[in-house]
mmCIF file of all heavy atoms in Angstrom:
data_model
loop_
_atom_site.group_PDB
_atom_site.id
_atom_site.type_symbol
_atom_site.label_atom_id
_atom_site.label_comp_id
_atom_site.label_asym_id
_atom_site.label_seq_id
_atom_site.Cartn_x
_atom_site.Cartn_y
_atom_site.Cartn_z
ATOM 1 N N GLY A 11 -1.045 19.311 3.218
ATOM 2 C CA GLY A 11 -0.498 20.615 3.404
ATOM 3 C C GLY A 11 -0.162 20.726 4.857
ATOM 4 O O GLY A 11 -0.242 19.689 5.572
ATOM 5 N N PRO A 12 0.159 21.932 5.314
ATOM 6 C CA PRO A 12 0.555 22.078 6.762
ATOM 7 C C PRO A 12 -0.560 21.919 7.653
ATOM 8 O O PRO A 12 -0.232 21.608 8.968
ATOM 9 C CB PRO A 12 1.090 23.522 6.711
ATOM 10 C CG PRO A 12 0.498 24.161 5.555
ATOM 11 C CD PRO A 12 0.250 23.152 4.554
ATOM 12 N N ILE A 13 -1.878 21.890 7.332
ATOM 13 C CA ILE A 13 -2.999 21.777 8.264
ATOM 14 C C ILE A 13 -3.899 20.579 7.952
ATOM 15 O O ILE A 13 -4.786 20.342 8.727
ATOM 16 C CB ILE A 13 -3.852 23.027 8.430
ATOM 17 C CG1 ILE A 13 -4.496 23.372 7.020
ATOM 18 C CG2 ILE A 13 -2.951 24.214 8.953
ATOM 19 C CD1 ILE A 13 -5.467 24.561 7.208
ATOM 20 N N GLY A 14 -3.559 19.848 6.947
ATOM 21 C CA GLY A 14 -4.535 18.717 6.491
ATOM 22 C C GLY A 14 -4.329 18.394 5.045
ATOM 23 O O GLY A 14 -3.552 19.092 4.363
ATOM 24 N N ASN A 35 -10.620 14.884 5.817
ATOM 25 C CA ASN A 35 -9.647 14.666 6.778
ATOM 26 C C ASN A 35 -10.041 13.477 7.697
ATOM 27 O O ASN A 35 -9.334 12.784 8.212
ATOM 28 C CB ASN A 35 -9.238 15.884 7.569
ATOM 29 C CG ASN A 35 -8.255 16.699 6.748
ATOM 30 O OD1 ASN A 35 -7.058 16.494 6.752
ATOM 31 N ND2 ASN A 35 -8.753 17.672 5.914
ATOM 32 N N LEU A 38 -9.536 10.306 5.824
ATOM 33 C CA LEU A 38 -8.119 10.017 5.947
ATOM 34 C C LEU A 38 -7.765 9.414 7.176
ATOM 35 O O LEU A 38 -7.031 8.370 7.220
ATOM 36 C CB LEU A 38 -7.275 11.261 5.678
ATOM 37 C CG LEU A 38 -5.833 11.187 5.886
ATOM 38 C CD1 LEU A 38 -5.188 10.354 4.906
ATOM 39 C CD2 LEU A 38 -5.129 12.563 5.920
ATOM 40 N N PHE A 39 -8.275 9.912 8.318
ATOM 41 C CA PHE A 39 -7.984 9.335 9.638
ATOM 42 C C PHE A 39 -8.458 7.968 9.708
ATOM 43 O O PHE A 39 -7.768 7.140 10.290
ATOM 44 C CB PHE A 39 -8.636 10.320 10.627
ATOM 45 C CG PHE A 39 -8.055 10.214 12.032
ATOM 46 C CD1 PHE A 39 -6.582 10.242 12.313
ATOM 47 C CD2 PHE A 39 -8.850 9.928 13.125
ATOM 48 C CE1 PHE A 39 -6.126 10.111 13.567
ATOM 49 C CE2 PHE A 39 -8.310 9.657 14.419
ATOM 50 C CZ PHE A 39 -6.944 9.842 14.562
ATOM 51 N N LEU A 42 -6.127 5.625 7.681
ATOM 52 C CA LEU A 42 -4.872 5.481 8.375
ATOM 53 C C LEU A 42 -4.980 4.577 9.583
ATOM 54 O O LEU A 42 -4.113 3.876 9.866
ATOM 55 C CB LEU A 42 -4.267 6.776 8.658
ATOM 56 C CG LEU A 42 -3.957 7.721 7.442
ATOM 57 C CD1 LEU A 42 -3.568 9.092 7.857
ATOM 58 C CD2 LEU A 42 -2.862 7.133 6.612
ATOM 59 N N ALA A 43 -6.076 4.751 10.347
ATOM 60 C CA ALA A 43 -6.225 3.919 11.620
ATOM 61 C C ALA A 43 -6.266 2.399 11.187
ATOM 62 O O ALA A 43 -5.695 1.613 11.845
ATOM 63 C CB ALA A 43 -7.536 4.288 12.222
ATOM 64 N N ARG A 46 -2.644 1.135 10.333
ATOM 65 C CA ARG A 46 -1.560 0.958 11.349
ATOM 66 C C ARG A 46 -1.129 -0.496 11.630
ATOM 67 O O ARG A 46 -1.995 -1.338 11.821
ATOM 68 C CB ARG A 46 -2.043 1.628 12.730
ATOM 69 C CG ARG A 46 -1.650 3.096 12.697
ATOM 70 C CD ARG A 46 -2.040 3.600 14.109
ATOM 71 N NE ARG A 46 -3.278 4.238 14.046
ATOM 72 C CZ ARG A 46 -4.058 4.580 15.009
ATOM 73 N NH1 ARG A 46 -3.759 4.227 16.114
ATOM 74 N NH2 ARG A 46 -5.205 5.182 14.826
ATOM 75 N N GLN A 53 4.880 3.083 8.050
ATOM 76 C CA GLN A 53 4.292 3.519 9.352
ATOM 77 C C GLN A 53 4.760 4.925 9.737
ATOM 78 O O GLN A 53 3.970 5.634 10.417
ATOM 79 C CB GLN A 53 4.723 2.488 10.461
ATOM 80 C CG GLN A 53 4.109 1.131 10.252
ATOM 81 C CD GLN A 53 2.607 1.121 10.186
ATOM 82 O OE1 GLN A 53 1.876 1.522 11.147
ATOM 83 N NE2 GLN A 53 2.064 0.566 9.044
ATOM 84 N N ASP A 54 5.866 5.358 9.310
ATOM 85 C CA ASP A 54 6.225 6.824 9.449
ATOM 86 C C ASP A 54 5.277 7.760 8.794
ATOM 87 O O ASP A 54 4.846 8.765 9.438
ATOM 88 C CB ASP A 54 7.672 7.089 9.100
ATOM 89 C CG ASP A 54 8.015 6.812 7.630
ATOM 90 O OD1 ASP A 54 7.348 5.800 7.076
ATOM 91 O OD2 ASP A 54 8.853 7.427 6.999
ATOM 92 N N ALA A 55 4.831 7.403 7.611
ATOM 93 C CA ALA A 55 3.833 8.201 6.822
ATOM 94 C C ALA A 55 2.477 8.148 7.590
ATOM 95 O O ALA A 55 1.785 9.183 7.687
ATOM 96 C CB ALA A 55 3.745 7.764 5.403
ATOM 97 N N ILE A 56 2.122 6.935 8.064
ATOM 98 C CA ILE A 56 0.869 6.800 8.779
ATOM 99 C C ILE A 56 0.915 7.673 10.012
ATOM 100 O O ILE A 56 -0.079 8.347 10.265
ATOM 101 C CB ILE A 56 0.649 5.294 9.214
ATOM 102 C CG1 ILE A 56 0.496 4.337 8.060
ATOM 103 C CG2 ILE A 56 -0.391 5.202 10.300
ATOM 104 C CD1 ILE A 56 -0.928 4.043 7.665
ATOM 105 N N ARG A 57 1.919 7.684 10.770
ATOM 106 C CA ARG A 57 2.010 8.520 11.930
ATOM 107 C C ARG A 57 1.937 9.982 11.591
ATOM 108 O O ARG A 57 1.204 10.763 12.195
ATOM 109 C CB ARG A 57 3.240 8.283 12.729
ATOM 110 C CG ARG A 57 3.197 6.930 13.531
ATOM 111 C CD ARG A 57 4.416 6.799 14.473
ATOM 112 N NE ARG A 57 5.709 6.663 13.682
ATOM 113 C CZ ARG A 57 6.196 5.495 13.237
ATOM 114 N NH1 ARG A 57 5.361 4.407 13.317
ATOM 115 N NH2 ARG A 57 7.187 5.460 12.566
ATOM 116 N N ARG A 58 2.674 10.436 10.659
ATOM 117 C CA ARG A 58 2.664 11.889 10.187
ATOM 118 C C ARG A 58 1.242 12.299 9.765
ATOM 119 O O ARG A 58 0.738 13.323 10.244
ATOM 120 C CB ARG A 58 3.676 12.137 9.124
ATOM 121 C CG ARG A 58 3.957 13.639 8.925
ATOM 122 C CD ARG A 58 4.995 13.796 7.803
ATOM 123 N NE ARG A 58 4.475 13.575 6.505
ATOM 124 C CZ ARG A 58 3.648 14.332 5.837
ATOM 125 N NH1 ARG A 58 3.161 15.348 6.385
ATOM 126 N NH2 ARG A 58 3.289 13.970 4.614
ATOM 127 N N LEU A 59 0.705 11.549 8.820
ATOM 128 C CA LEU A 59 -0.641 11.948 8.317
ATOM 129 C C LEU A 59 -1.744 11.869 9.264
ATOM 130 O O LEU A 59 -2.620 12.576 9.352
ATOM 131 C CB LEU A 59 -0.895 11.109 6.992
ATOM 132 C CG LEU A 59 -0.047 11.393 5.766
ATOM 133 C CD1 LEU A 59 -0.288 10.312 4.712
ATOM 134 C CD2 LEU A 59 -0.365 12.722 5.212
ATOM 135 N N SER A 60 -1.628 10.794 10.154
ATOM 136 C CA SER A 60 -2.583 10.572 11.290
ATOM 137 C C SER A 60 -2.560 11.802 12.193
ATOM 138 O O SER A 60 -3.614 12.327 12.559
ATOM 139 C CB SER A 60 -2.262 9.380 12.081
ATOM 140 O OG SER A 60 -2.580 8.248 11.320
ATOM 141 N N GLY A 61 -1.399 12.288 12.558
ATOM 142 C CA GLY A 61 -1.228 13.438 13.400
ATOM 143 C C GLY A 61 -1.854 14.687 12.729
ATOM 144 O O GLY A 61 -2.550 15.464 13.407
ATOM 145 N N LEU A 62 -1.619 14.826 11.442
ATOM 146 C CA LEU A 62 -2.185 15.954 10.728
ATOM 147 C C LEU A 62 -3.730 15.958 10.684
ATOM 148 O O LEU A 62 -4.372 16.913 10.971
ATOM 149 C CB LEU A 62 -1.656 15.883 9.294
ATOM 150 C CG LEU A 62 -1.633 17.165 8.437
ATOM 151 C CD1 LEU A 62 -0.827 18.293 9.049
ATOM 152 C CD2 LEU A 62 -1.118 16.800 7.052
ATOM 153 N N ALA A 63 -4.224 14.720 10.337
ATOM 154 C CA ALA A 63 -5.713 14.593 10.259
ATOM 155 C C ALA A 63 -6.330 14.772 11.697
ATOM 156 O O ALA A 63 -7.426 15.358 11.810
ATOM 157 C CB ALA A 63 -6.053 13.236 9.618
ATOM 158 N N PHE A 64 -5.718 14.121 12.698
ATOM 159 C CA PHE A 64 -6.281 14.224 14.061
ATOM 160 C C PHE A 64 -6.345 15.760 14.473
ATOM 161 O O PHE A 64 -7.304 16.200 15.078
ATOM 162 C CB PHE A 64 -5.468 13.403 15.028
ATOM 163 C CG PHE A 64 -5.954 13.598 16.433
ATOM 164 C CD1 PHE A 64 -7.079 12.830 16.821
ATOM 165 C CD2 PHE A 64 -5.277 14.356 17.435
ATOM 166 C CE1 PHE A 64 -7.494 12.900 18.102
ATOM 167 C CE2 PHE A 64 -5.693 14.430 18.682
ATOM 168 C CZ PHE A 64 -6.873 13.712 19.068
ATOM 169 N N GLN A 65 -5.262 16.541 14.326
ATOM 170 C CA GLN A 65 -5.257 17.892 14.528
ATOM 171 C C GLN A 65 -6.282 18.687 13.883
ATOM 172 O O GLN A 65 -6.972 19.449 14.384
ATOM 173 C CB GLN A 65 -3.810 18.543 14.356
ATOM 174 C CG GLN A 65 -3.705 19.905 14.877
ATOM 175 C CD GLN A 65 -3.849 19.981 16.344
ATOM 176 O OE1 GLN A 65 -3.059 19.306 17.097
ATOM 177 N NE2 GLN A 65 -4.772 20.827 16.842
ATOM 178 N N PHE A 66 -6.518 18.394 12.589
ATOM 179 C CA PHE A 66 -7.596 19.046 11.823
ATOM 180 C C PHE A 66 -8.894 18.752 12.465
ATOM 181 O O PHE A 66 -9.661 19.689 12.604
ATOM 182 C CB PHE A 66 -7.481 18.516 10.360
ATOM 183 C CG PHE A 66 -8.321 19.339 9.445
ATOM 184 C CD1 PHE A 66 -7.758 20.348 8.654
ATOM 185 C CD2 PHE A 66 -9.757 19.116 9.352
ATOM 186 C CE1 PHE A 66 -8.608 21.141 7.833
ATOM 187 C CE2 PHE A 66 -10.494 19.924 8.495
ATOM 188 C CZ PHE A 66 -9.880 20.935 7.765
ATOM 189 N N LEU A 67 -9.182 17.494 12.821
ATOM 190 C CA LEU A 67 -10.502 17.116 13.413
ATOM 191 C C LEU A 67 -10.704 17.784 14.719
ATOM 192 O O LEU A 67 -11.802 18.325 14.925
ATOM 193 C CB LEU A 67 -10.586 15.657 13.461
ATOM 194 C CG LEU A 67 -10.570 14.753 12.173
ATOM 195 C CD1 LEU A 67 -10.588 13.341 12.418
ATOM 196 C CD2 LEU A 67 -11.716 15.250 11.216
ATOM 197 N N THR A 68 -9.747 17.841 15.492
ATOM 198 C CA THR A 68 -9.878 18.423 16.829
ATOM 199 C C THR A 68 -10.086 19.919 16.697
ATOM 200 O O THR A 68 -10.843 20.492 17.580
ATOM 201 C CB THR A 68 -8.818 18.060 17.852
ATOM 202 O OG1 THR A 68 -7.548 18.404 17.375
ATOM 203 C CG2 THR A 68 -8.736 16.585 18.142
ATOM 204 N N ASP A 69 -9.363 20.520 15.808
ATOM 205 C CA ASP A 69 -9.551 21.993 15.524
ATOM 206 C C ASP A 69 -10.935 22.265 14.918
ATOM 207 O O ASP A 69 -11.536 23.367 15.220
ATOM 208 C CB ASP A 69 -8.549 22.494 14.529
ATOM 209 C CG ASP A 69 -7.110 22.557 14.993
ATOM 210 O OD1 ASP A 69 -6.935 22.432 16.300
ATOM 211 O OD2 ASP A 69 -6.210 22.703 14.208
#
Side-chain angles (χ1 to χ4, degrees):
I13 61 171
N35 280 278
L38 173 65
F39 198 57
L42 296 171
R46 271 190 259 158
Q53 296 302 303
D54 56 329
I56 292 268
R57 283 187 294 278
R58 189 180 76 72
L59 290 169
S60 290
L62 198 62
F64 179 76
Q65 187 64 55
F66 192 98
L67 296 177
T68 57
D69 289 348

